[in-house]
Amino acid sequence: QIRLAESGGGLVQPGGSLRLSCAGSGFTLDRYGLGWFRQAPGKEREGVSCISNRHGTYYADFAKGRFTISRDAAKNTVTLQMNSLKPEDTAVYSCNARGFRSGDYWGQGTQVTVSS
């Protein structure tokens, strides 16, 4: 019943933009800390950005000034606006929801490819 589903990935040229969305079902995202992670081929998964009621927002150094995380309670979604994309941003981007003392949920990921 509890599910996260990412969308919005695709192929974009360097310098372009993409808007990723993560939709929750079976639970209310407002009750969870939310994060975006990514994993490039041959590399380990790394955090991109997180948002929570307690800590506000967090951005990895590579994301600062280029990416923006936000949530829409009415749509039960969390989004990641990505601007000025670079080839190094190519990865599978996954959404995560973590409860205060319970729950750790992941979506299946969406592919982002930055290439000319």
Side-chain angles (χ1 to χ4, degrees):
Q1 185 177 16
I2 294 176
R3 181 173 176 266
L4 293 172
E6 302 94 338
S7 63
L11 176 64
V12 65
Q13 294 183 346
S17 299
L18 283 174
R19 184 180 178 90
L20 307 183
S21 180
C22 176
S25 60
F27 69 119
T28 301
L29 296 185
D30 284 346
R31 301 288 184 175
Y32 293 81
L34 307 172
W36 286 94
F37 296 76
R38 71 183 189 184
Q39 186 168 24
K43 296 186 177 181
E44 294 186 345
R45 177 183 286 167
E46 61 181 344
V48 178
S49 181
C50 299
I51 185 169
S52 69
N53 293 331
R54 175 176 290 184
H55 301 115
T57 58
Y58 160 84
Y59 295 94
D61 286 342
F62 64 79
K64 292 179 180 177
R66 298 192 298 131
F67 297 178
T68 303
I69 190 170
S70 62
R71 67 168 81 203
D72 187 333
K75 298 181 179 179
N76 205 37
T77 60
V78 59
T79 64
L80 183 69
Q81 178 67 45
M82 303 189 296
N83 300 324
S84 302
L85 285 164
K86 307 173 182 179
E88 308 91 272
D89 295 319
T90 296
V92 174
Y93 285 71
S94 301
C95 178
N96 169 257
R98 180 172 294 179
F100 177 62
R101 289 193 288 181
S102 64
D104 187 9
Y105 308 108
W106 291 88
Q108 65 179 355
T110 183
Q111 177 70 49
V112 171
T113 302
V114 184
S115 176
S116 60

